[in-house]
Amino acid sequence: METAIQSMKMYIGGAWMPSSSQQTFTTINPANQEPLAELPRGTAEDVDRAVKAARAAFESSEWSMMVPAQRGRLLLAMAERLRRRSDELARLETLDNGKPLSQSKVDVEVAARYCEYYAGVADKIFGETIPIMPGILDYTLREPIGISVQIVPWNYPLQIAMRGIAPALATGNAVILKPAEDTSLTALKLAEIAEEVALPGGIFNVVTGFGEVVGAALTAHPDVDHITFTGSVPTGIAVMKAAAENVKPVTLELGGKSPNIVFADADLDEATNWVVRSITQNAGQTCSAGSRLLVEQSIHDELVSRVARKMESLALGPGMEDPDLGPIISEQQLRTILHYLDLAKQEGVTIVTGGERADGDGLAKGFFLRPTVLDNLAPDHRLAQEEIFGPVLSVLTFTTVEEAIKIANGTEYGLIAAVWTNDLNKAHWVASKVKAGQVYINTYGAGGGVEMPFGGYGKSGFGREKGLEALRNYTQVKNVALRLHMKEPTQPAGKTAVKLE
Ligand code: NDP
């Protein structure tokens, strides 16, 4: 699998096909730049074909009349196949994305968990009865929204895809998945799994290709009903604008500059481990990465030195060797990060460790970067404000709780935050004041949390994914009011009602 170039097709309407243009593009292994696969370069015509197939499948009686429990069983079958093929899928994800093999295995397991979690929900989504007045029966129905487009980035290809696909299918929608051009391979394996479990053709489609063509055509298509997008702020804005033209709802998850806020009374061993892990997992290419360290002045030197030592102990290498950090996804993304590091050097920012590309010991052909700590940044510095999306930690110092909260809230993002302290009053106070969709106290991420609502404040986006909250994205409420043509029963003549005590 490592060397043979595969020629792949995309999956539309239950059939495998090339691009309508017959054009392809090549995806490479970021650990050594070797080609991995040829993929169809989708067109607006392919998108239109996928939307028509999804519409027909969504309206079909096979799908719309399927009992909800059966939709749940299909998702359970997908979970089972994901687990059965875990080794194969994890290897493919690692070759395509670069992440360490053990992290890819976690991604496959989380994808299976999404299927399982929402499978259990499929037959538990229902409306309410509302007491309007006597003689009126008023109730709500929770109906699927229709065709849900899932535009997915390259950092967690399988996991983020399933985060949206599973609730969309559980609630009875049809799905069109547009994977990132750099990481489409496991998306096509998902299509294989959908076919294996006999999901009706057209209910799940994958259109491969470039964002500016396939993504743009999907978001502008008038017959799409909802878009879930995960990626950068500029592309999120473009998606929102295109969807606005057709008045279509969007769910946006646009990354962050999430803080680990460490107070002097925190357990420094724990804090050090999590600060490092939260910025080096997936080589820092995580929307919820802990990319800012806000540290109380009195422990600054101690904590920064511990973090730097820990980072220096981490192993870099091809993901297939399961190191601590694999390569950055692409040359373009590596260049973006190096540009930020050049800025740090030009402006005399203290680089405690890292700060450069790693190209020794067989790494020269890949896009490897040393984990980096940038110290003593002012809160409004670009390096403390902008999403770098690599293993680069920006350190800022505070002296009071109020200052910590102000700095934490001082970016345009608000995805997650973590507070490290043994003072629970302080922890809850900070949690209540921090503007972020998720707050952790003395932990970070809590194991991924399929069950926990996840989403952003500010430019981190809006709408919530994961947990039961996600179901709001994929259902719409219909209110039905029925006037009952019934009168009070009249008493038969000559009889008196029996009075009951
Ligand atoms: P993008 O936001 O451009 O890409 C995310 C997804 O959107 C991909 O599937 C992409 O396709 C697609 N896309 C691109 N253009 C359009 C469009 N006009 N309409 C609809 N869909 C489109 O991210 P990049 O890959 O360019 O990464 C740039 C930066 O984005 C990173 O440095 C990082 O800061 C941030 N990012 C944030 C992520 C997060 O998890 N929040 C994930 C990834 C990146 P294609 O791959 O073909 O371009």
Side-chain angles (χ1 to χ4, degrees), residues 384-404:
Q385 288 284 325
E386 297 177 15
E387 187 177 51
I388 298 173
F389 226 61
V392 179
L393 180 67
S394 300
V395 182
L396 303 96
T397 307
F398 65 85
T399 50
T400 64
V401 175
E402 289 67 34
E403 194 188 5

mmCIF file with all atom_site columns, all heavy atoms in Angstrom, residues 384-404:
data_model
loop_
_atom_site.group_PDB
_atom_site.id
_atom_site.type_symbol
_atom_site.label_atom_id
_atom_site.label_alt_id
_atom_site.label_comp_id
_atom_site.label_asym_id
_atom_site.label_entity_id
_atom_site.label_seq_id
_atom_site.pdbx_PDB_ins_code
_atom_site.Cartn_x
_atom_site.Cartn_y
_atom_site.Cartn_z
_atom_site.occupancy
_atom_site.B_iso_or_equiv
_atom_site.pdbx_formal_charge
_atom_site.auth_seq_id
_atom_site.auth_comp_id
_atom_site.auth_asym_id
_atom_site.auth_atom_id
_atom_site.pdbx_PDB_model_num
ATOM 1   N N   . ALA A 1 384 ? 0.185   35.834 18.811 1.00 0.00 ? 384 ALA A N   1
ATOM 2   C CA  . ALA A 1 384 ? -0.696  35.462 19.928 1.00 0.00 ? 384 ALA A CA  1
ATOM 3   C C   . ALA A 1 384 ? -2.156  35.596 19.522 1.00 0.00 ? 384 ALA A C   1
ATOM 4   O O   . ALA A 1 384 ? -3.059  35.334 20.322 1.00 0.00 ? 384 ALA A O   1
ATOM 5   C CB  . ALA A 1 384 ? -0.409  36.351 21.131 1.00 0.00 ? 384 ALA A CB  1
ATOM 6   N N   . GLN A 1 385 ? -2.392  36.032 18.285 1.00 0.00 ? 385 GLN A N   1
ATOM 7   C CA  . GLN A 1 385 ? -3.754  36.288 17.834 1.00 0.00 ? 385 GLN A CA  1
ATOM 8   C C   . GLN A 1 385 ? -4.204  35.339 16.714 1.00 0.00 ? 385 GLN A C   1
ATOM 9   O O   . GLN A 1 385 ? -5.352  34.935 16.662 1.00 0.00 ? 385 GLN A O   1
ATOM 10  C CB  . GLN A 1 385 ? -3.856  37.729 17.289 1.00 0.00 ? 385 GLN A CB  1
ATOM 11  C CG  . GLN A 1 385 ? -3.792  38.797 18.364 1.00 0.00 ? 385 GLN A CG  1
ATOM 12  C CD  . GLN A 1 385 ? -5.080  38.909 19.136 1.00 0.00 ? 385 GLN A CD  1
ATOM 13  O OE1 . GLN A 1 385 ? -6.155  38.732 18.590 1.00 0.00 ? 385 GLN A OE1 1
ATOM 14  N NE2 . GLN A 1 385 ? -4.989  39.172 20.428 1.00 0.00 ? 385 GLN A NE2 1
ATOM 15  N N   . GLU A 1 386 ? -3.283  35.026 15.792 1.00 0.00 ? 386 GLU A N   1
ATOM 16  C CA  . GLU A 1 386 ? -3.684  34.308 14.576 1.00 0.00 ? 386 GLU A CA  1
ATOM 17  C C   . GLU A 1 386 ? -3.460  32.802 14.710 1.00 0.00 ? 386 GLU A C   1
ATOM 18  O O   . GLU A 1 386 ? -2.524  32.368 15.394 1.00 0.00 ? 386 GLU A O   1
ATOM 19  C CB  . GLU A 1 386 ? -2.907  34.863 13.373 1.00 0.00 ? 386 GLU A CB  1
ATOM 20  C CG  . GLU A 1 386 ? -3.247  36.329 13.136 1.00 0.00 ? 386 GLU A CG  1
ATOM 21  C CD  . GLU A 1 386 ? -2.444  36.963 12.000 1.00 0.00 ? 386 GLU A CD  1
ATOM 22  O OE1 . GLU A 1 386 ? -1.835  36.221 11.200 1.00 0.00 ? 386 GLU A OE1 1
ATOM 23  O OE2 . GLU A 1 386 ? -2.429  38.201 11.926 1.00 0.00 ? 386 GLU A OE2 1
ATOM 24  N N   . GLU A 1 387 ? -4.303  32.044 14.017 1.00 0.00 ? 387 GLU A N   1
ATOM 25  C CA  . GLU A 1 387 ? -4.184  30.586 14.045 1.00 0.00 ? 387 GLU A CA  1
ATOM 26  C C   . GLU A 1 387 ? -3.025  30.162 13.154 1.00 0.00 ? 387 GLU A C   1
ATOM 27  O O   . GLU A 1 387 ? -3.062  30.368 11.942 1.00 0.00 ? 387 GLU A O   1
ATOM 28  C CB  . GLU A 1 387 ? -5.492  29.957 13.540 1.00 0.00 ? 387 GLU A CB  1
ATOM 29  C CG  . GLU A 1 387 ? -5.523  28.467 13.695 1.00 0.00 ? 387 GLU A CG  1
ATOM 30  C CD  . GLU A 1 387 ? -6.839  27.856 13.257 1.00 0.00 ? 387 GLU A CD  1
ATOM 31  O OE1 . GLU A 1 387 ? -7.289  28.146 12.133 1.00 0.00 ? 387 GLU A OE1 1
ATOM 32  O OE2 . GLU A 1 387 ? -7.417  27.067 14.029 1.00 0.00 ? 387 GLU A OE2 1
ATOM 33  N N   . ILE A 1 388 ? -1.967  29.631 13.769 1.00 0.00 ? 388 ILE A N   1
ATOM 34  C CA  . ILE A 1 388 ? -0.778  29.234 12.999 1.00 0.00 ? 388 ILE A CA  1
ATOM 35  C C   . ILE A 1 388 ? -0.969  27.832 12.430 1.00 0.00 ? 388 ILE A C   1
ATOM 36  O O   . ILE A 1 388 ? -0.525  27.519 11.345 1.00 0.00 ? 388 ILE A O   1
ATOM 37  C CB  . ILE A 1 388 ? 0.487   29.330 13.889 1.00 0.00 ? 388 ILE A CB  1
ATOM 38  C CG1 . ILE A 1 388 ? 0.674   30.787 14.342 1.00 0.00 ? 388 ILE A CG1 1
ATOM 39  C CG2 . ILE A 1 388 ? 1.714   28.809 13.155 1.00 0.00 ? 388 ILE A CG2 1
ATOM 40  C CD1 . ILE A 1 388 ? 1.787   31.006 15.360 1.00 0.00 ? 388 ILE A CD1 1
ATOM 41  N N   . PHE A 1 389 ? -1.651  26.992 13.154 1.00 0.00 ? 389 PHE A N   1
ATOM 42  C CA  . PHE A 1 389 ? -2.003  25.636 12.717 1.00 0.00 ? 389 PHE A CA  1
ATOM 43  C C   . PHE A 1 389 ? -0.777  24.756 12.485 1.00 0.00 ? 389 PHE A C   1
ATOM 44  O O   . PHE A 1 389 ? -0.581  24.161 11.425 1.00 0.00 ? 389 PHE A O   1
ATOM 45  C CB  . PHE A 1 389 ? -2.892  25.680 11.472 1.00 0.00 ? 389 PHE A CB  1
ATOM 46  C CG  . PHE A 1 389 ? -4.072  24.753 11.571 1.00 0.00 ? 389 PHE A CG  1
ATOM 47  C CD1 . PHE A 1 389 ? -5.010  24.914 12.578 1.00 0.00 ? 389 PHE A CD1 1
ATOM 48  C CD2 . PHE A 1 389 ? -4.265  23.716 10.658 1.00 0.00 ? 389 PHE A CD2 1
ATOM 49  C CE1 . PHE A 1 389 ? -6.101  24.070 12.687 1.00 0.00 ? 389 PHE A CE1 1
ATOM 50  C CE2 . PHE A 1 389 ? -5.362  22.859 10.763 1.00 0.00 ? 389 PHE A CE2 1
ATOM 51  C CZ  . PHE A 1 389 ? -6.278  23.047 11.770 1.00 0.00 ? 389 PHE A CZ  1
ATOM 52  N N   . GLY A 1 390 ? 0.046   24.698 13.524 1.00 0.00 ? 390 GLY A N   1
ATOM 53  C CA  . GLY A 1 390 ? 1.226   23.841 13.538 1.00 0.00 ? 390 GLY A CA  1
ATOM 54  C C   . GLY A 1 390 ? 1.646   23.706 14.993 1.00 0.00 ? 390 GLY A C   1
ATOM 55  O O   . GLY A 1 390 ? 1.009   24.285 15.886 1.00 0.00 ? 390 GLY A O   1
ATOM 56  N N   . PRO A 1 391 ? 2.743   22.980 15.267 1.00 0.00 ? 391 PRO A N   1
ATOM 57  C CA  . PRO A 1 391 ? 3.154   22.747 16.661 1.00 0.00 ? 391 PRO A CA  1
ATOM 58  C C   . PRO A 1 391 ? 3.891   23.963 17.236 1.00 0.00 ? 391 PRO A C   1
ATOM 59  O O   . PRO A 1 391 ? 5.070   23.882 17.583 1.00 0.00 ? 391 PRO A O   1
ATOM 60  C CB  . PRO A 1 391 ? 4.067   21.530 16.544 1.00 0.00 ? 391 PRO A CB  1
ATOM 61  C CG  . PRO A 1 391 ? 4.650   21.629 15.175 1.00 0.00 ? 391 PRO A CG  1
ATOM 62  C CD  . PRO A 1 391 ? 3.627   22.291 14.309 1.00 0.00 ? 391 PRO A CD  1
ATOM 63  N N   . VAL A 1 392 ? 3.203   25.087 17.302 1.00 0.00 ? 392 VAL A N   1
ATOM 64  C CA  . VAL A 1 392 ? 3.823   26.347 17.728 1.00 0.00 ? 392 VAL A CA  1
ATOM 65  C C   . VAL A 1 392 ? 3.000   26.919 18.884 1.00 0.00 ? 392 VAL A C   1
ATOM 66  O O   . VAL A 1 392 ? 1.838   27.266 18.725 1.00 0.00 ? 392 VAL A O   1
ATOM 67  C CB  . VAL A 1 392 ? 3.857   27.358 16.560 1.00 0.00 ? 392 VAL A CB  1
ATOM 68  C CG1 . VAL A 1 392 ? 4.494   28.671 17.022 1.00 0.00 ? 392 VAL A CG1 1
ATOM 69  C CG2 . VAL A 1 392 ? 4.603   26.787 15.364 1.00 0.00 ? 392 VAL A CG2 1
ATOM 70  N N   . LEU A 1 393 ? 3.638   26.992 20.040 1.00 0.00 ? 393 LEU A N   1
ATOM 71  C CA  . LEU A 1 393 ? 2.963   27.462 21.253 1.00 0.00 ? 393 LEU A CA  1
ATOM 72  C C   . LEU A 1 393 ? 3.352   28.916 21.533 1.00 0.00 ? 393 LEU A C   1
ATOM 73  O O   . LEU A 1 393 ? 4.537   29.246 21.585 1.00 0.00 ? 393 LEU A O   1
ATOM 74  C CB  . LEU A 1 393 ? 3.392   26.576 22.432 1.00 0.00 ? 393 LEU A CB  1
ATOM 75  C CG  . LEU A 1 393 ? 2.790   26.930 23.795 1.00 0.00 ? 393 LEU A CG  1
ATOM 76  C CD1 . LEU A 1 393 ? 1.285   26.670 23.814 1.00 0.00 ? 393 LEU A CD1 1
ATOM 77  C CD2 . LEU A 1 393 ? 3.463   26.111 24.892 1.00 0.00 ? 393 LEU A CD2 1
ATOM 78  N N   . SER A 1 394 ? 2.350   29.765 21.737 1.00 0.00 ? 394 SER A N   1
ATOM 79  C CA  . SER A 1 394 ? 2.595   31.173 22.056 1.00 0.00 ? 394 SER A CA  1
ATOM 80  C C   . SER A 1 394 ? 2.375   31.373 23.552 1.00 0.00 ? 394 SER A C   1
ATOM 81  O O   . SER A 1 394 ? 1.294   31.087 24.063 1.00 0.00 ? 394 SER A O   1
ATOM 82  C CB  . SER A 1 394 ? 1.631   32.067 21.280 1.00 0.00 ? 394 SER A CB  1
ATOM 83  O OG  . SER A 1 394 ? 1.808   31.862 19.893 1.00 0.00 ? 394 SER A OG  1
ATOM 84  N N   . VAL A 1 395 ? 3.407   31.874 24.263 1.00 0.00 ? 395 VAL A N   1
ATOM 85  C CA  . VAL A 1 395 ? 3.329   32.010 25.728 1.00 0.00 ? 395 VAL A CA  1
ATOM 86  C C   . VAL A 1 395 ? 3.089   33.469 26.112 1.00 0.00 ? 395 VAL A C   1
ATOM 87  O O   . VAL A 1 395 ? 3.771   34.374 25.620 1.00 0.00 ? 395 VAL A O   1
ATOM 88  C CB  . VAL A 1 395 ? 4.635   31.515 26.396 1.00 0.00 ? 395 VAL A CB  1
ATOM 89  C CG1 . VAL A 1 395 ? 4.513   31.608 27.922 1.00 0.00 ? 395 VAL A CG1 1
ATOM 90  C CG2 . VAL A 1 395 ? 4.938   30.083 25.973 1.00 0.00 ? 395 VAL A CG2 1
ATOM 91  N N   . LEU A 1 396 ? 2.116   33.679 27.004 1.00 0.00 ? 396 LEU A N   1
ATOM 92  C CA  . LEU A 1 396 ? 1.806   35.006 27.536 1.00 0.00 ? 396 LEU A CA  1
ATOM 93  C C   . LEU A 1 396 ? 1.727   34.889 29.054 1.00 0.00 ? 396 LEU A C   1
ATOM 94  O O   . LEU A 1 396 ? 1.390   33.827 29.578 1.00 0.00 ? 396 LEU A O   1
ATOM 95  C CB  . LEU A 1 396 ? 0.458   35.494 26.994 1.00 0.00 ? 396 LEU A CB  1
ATOM 96  C CG  . LEU A 1 396 ? 0.328   35.570 25.471 1.00 0.00 ? 396 LEU A CG  1
ATOM 97  C CD1 . LEU A 1 396 ? -0.325  34.321 24.917 1.00 0.00 ? 396 LEU A CD1 1
ATOM 98  C CD2 . LEU A 1 396 ? -0.483  36.782 25.076 1.00 0.00 ? 396 LEU A CD2 1
ATOM 99  N N   . THR A 1 397 ? 1.985   35.998 29.724 1.00 0.00 ? 397 THR A N   1
ATOM 100 C CA  . THR A 1 397 ? 2.037   35.963 31.186 1.00 0.00 ? 397 THR A CA  1
ATOM 101 C C   . THR A 1 397 ? 0.964   36.870 31.778 1.00 0.00 ? 397 THR A C   1
ATOM 102 O O   . THR A 1 397 ? 0.619   37.890 31.188 1.00 0.00 ? 397 THR A O   1
ATOM 103 C CB  . THR A 1 397 ? 3.427   36.461 31.648 1.00 0.00 ? 397 THR A CB  1
ATOM 104 O OG1 . THR A 1 397 ? 4.403   35.701 30.954 1.00 0.00 ? 397 THR A OG1 1
ATOM 105 C CG2 . THR A 1 397 ? 3.636   36.262 33.126 1.00 0.00 ? 397 THR A CG2 1
ATOM 106 N N   . PHE A 1 398 ? 0.416   36.455 32.945 1.00 0.00 ? 398 PHE A N   1
ATOM 107 C CA  . PHE A 1 398 ? -0.565  37.299 33.639 1.00 0.00 ? 398 PHE A CA  1
ATOM 108 C C   . PHE A 1 398 ? -0.234  37.316 35.133 1.00 0.00 ? 398 PHE A C   1
ATOM 109 O O   . PHE A 1 398 ? 0.489   36.434 35.633 1.00 0.00 ? 398 PHE A O   1
ATOM 110 C CB  . PHE A 1 398 ? -1.994  36.786 33.405 1.00 0.00 ? 398 PHE A CB  1
ATOM 111 C CG  . PHE A 1 398 ? -2.269  35.436 33.994 1.00 0.00 ? 398 PHE A CG  1
ATOM 112 C CD1 . PHE A 1 398 ? -2.650  35.287 35.326 1.00 0.00 ? 398 PHE A CD1 1
ATOM 113 C CD2 . PHE A 1 398 ? -2.141  34.278 33.230 1.00 0.00 ? 398 PHE A CD2 1
ATOM 114 C CE1 . PHE A 1 398 ? -2.890  34.041 35.880 1.00 0.00 ? 398 PHE A CE1 1
ATOM 115 C CE2 . PHE A 1 398 ? -2.385  33.019 33.775 1.00 0.00 ? 398 PHE A CE2 1
ATOM 116 C CZ  . PHE A 1 398 ? -2.760  32.901 35.107 1.00 0.00 ? 398 PHE A CZ  1
ATOM 117 N N   . THR A 1 399 ? -0.808  38.309 35.837 1.00 0.00 ? 399 THR A N   1
ATOM 118 C CA  . THR A 1 399 ? -0.582  38.358 37.291 1.00 0.00 ? 399 THR A CA  1
ATOM 119 C C   . THR A 1 399 ? -1.878  38.221 38.088 1.00 0.00 ? 399 THR A C   1
ATOM 120 O O   . THR A 1 399 ? -1.837  37.825 39.251 1.00 0.00 ? 399 THR A O   1
ATOM 121 C CB  . THR A 1 399 ? 0.134   39.668 37.708 1.00 0.00 ? 399 THR A CB  1
ATOM 122 O OG1 . THR A 1 399 ? -0.570  40.758 37.131 1.00 0.00 ? 399 THR A OG1 1
ATOM 123 C CG2 . THR A 1 399 ? 1.572   39.694 37.261 1.00 0.00 ? 399 THR A CG2 1
ATOM 124 N N   . THR A 1 400 ? -3.027  38.552 37.508 1.00 0.00 ? 400 THR A N   1
ATOM 125 C CA  . THR A 1 400 ? -4.288  38.438 38.257 1.00 0.00 ? 400 THR A CA  1
ATOM 126 C C   . THR A 1 400 ? -5.290  37.602 37.466 1.00 0.00 ? 400 THR A C   1
ATOM 127 O O   . THR A 1 400 ? -5.150  37.420 36.246 1.00 0.00 ? 400 THR A O   1
ATOM 128 C CB  . THR A 1 400 ? -4.920  39.825 38.488 1.00 0.00 ? 400 THR A CB  1
ATOM 129 O OG1 . THR A 1 400 ? -5.260  40.377 37.201 1.00 0.00 ? 400 THR A OG1 1
ATOM 130 C CG2 . THR A 1 400 ? -3.978  40.765 39.214 1.00 0.00 ? 400 THR A CG2 1
ATOM 131 N N   . VAL A 1 401 ? -6.320  37.143 38.173 1.00 0.00 ? 401 VAL A N   1
ATOM 132 C CA  . VAL A 1 401 ? -7.373  36.348 37.519 1.00 0.00 ? 401 VAL A CA  1
ATOM 133 C C   . VAL A 1 401 ? -8.042  37.192 36.426 1.00 0.00 ? 401 VAL A C   1
ATOM 134 O O   . VAL A 1 401 ? -8.297  36.711 35.316 1.00 0.00 ? 401 VAL A O   1
ATOM 135 C CB  . VAL A 1 401 ? -8.428  35.902 38.564 1.00 0.00 ? 401 VAL A CB  1
ATOM 136 C CG1 . VAL A 1 401 ? -9.582  35.176 37.892 1.00 0.00 ? 401 VAL A CG1 1
ATOM 137 C CG2 . VAL A 1 401 ? -7.793  35.009 39.607 1.00 0.00 ? 401 VAL A CG2 1
ATOM 138 N N   . GLU A 1 402 ? -8.295  38.451 36.739 1.00 0.00 ? 402 GLU A N   1
ATOM 139 C CA  . GLU A 1 402 ? -8.972  39.334 35.778 1.00 0.00 ? 402 GLU A CA  1
ATOM 140 C C   . GLU A 1 402 ? -8.135  39.480 34.499 1.00 0.00 ? 402 GLU A C   1
ATOM 141 O O   . GLU A 1 402 ? -8.654  39.459 33.401 1.00 0.00 ? 402 GLU A O   1
ATOM 142 C CB  . GLU A 1 402 ? -9.213  40.730 36.384 1.00 0.00 ? 402 GLU A CB  1
ATOM 143 C CG  . GLU A 1 402 ? -10.273 40.776 37.470 1.00 0.00 ? 402 GLU A CG  1
ATOM 144 C CD  . GLU A 1 402 ? -9.861  40.018 38.736 1.00 0.00 ? 402 GLU A CD  1
ATOM 145 O OE1 . GLU A 1 402 ? -8.657  40.015 39.072 1.00 0.00 ? 402 GLU A OE1 1
ATOM 146 O OE2 . GLU A 1 402 ? -10.734 39.384 39.360 1.00 0.00 ? 402 GLU A OE2 1
ATOM 147 N N   . GLU A 1 403 ? -6.816  39.612 34.722 1.00 0.00 ? 403 GLU A N   1
ATOM 148 C CA  . GLU A 1 403 ? -5.949  39.766 33.550 1.00 0.00 ? 403 GLU A CA  1
ATOM 149 C C   . GLU A 1 403 ? -5.952  38.477 32.714 1.00 0.00 ? 403 GLU A C   1
ATOM 150 O O   . GLU A 1 403 ? -5.996  38.519 31.481 1.00 0.00 ? 403 GLU A O   1
ATOM 151 C CB  . GLU A 1 403 ? -4.524  40.113 33.994 1.00 0.00 ? 403 GLU A CB  1
ATOM 152 C CG  . GLU A 1 403 ? -3.659  40.609 32.850 1.00 0.00 ? 403 GLU A CG  1
ATOM 153 C CD  . GLU A 1 403 ? -2.187  40.772 33.219 1.00 0.00 ? 403 GLU A CD  1
ATOM 154 O OE1 . GLU A 1 403 ? -1.788  40.419 34.356 1.00 0.00 ? 403 GLU A OE1 1
ATOM 155 O OE2 . GLU A 1 403 ? -1.426  41.229 32.356 1.00 0.00 ? 403 GLU A OE2 1
ATOM 156 N N   . ALA A 1 404 ? -5.940  37.327 33.400 1.00 0.00 ? 404 ALA A N   1
ATOM 157 C CA  . ALA A 1 404 ? -5.968  36.047 32.672 1.00 0.00 ? 404 ALA A CA  1
ATOM 158 C C   . ALA A 1 404 ? -7.230  35.952 31.815 1.00 0.00 ? 404 ALA A C   1
ATOM 159 O O   . ALA A 1 404 ? -7.183  35.547 30.637 1.00 0.00 ? 404 ALA A O   1
ATOM 160 C CB  . ALA A 1 404 ? -5.908  34.887 33.662 1.00 0.00 ? 404 ALA A CB  1
#
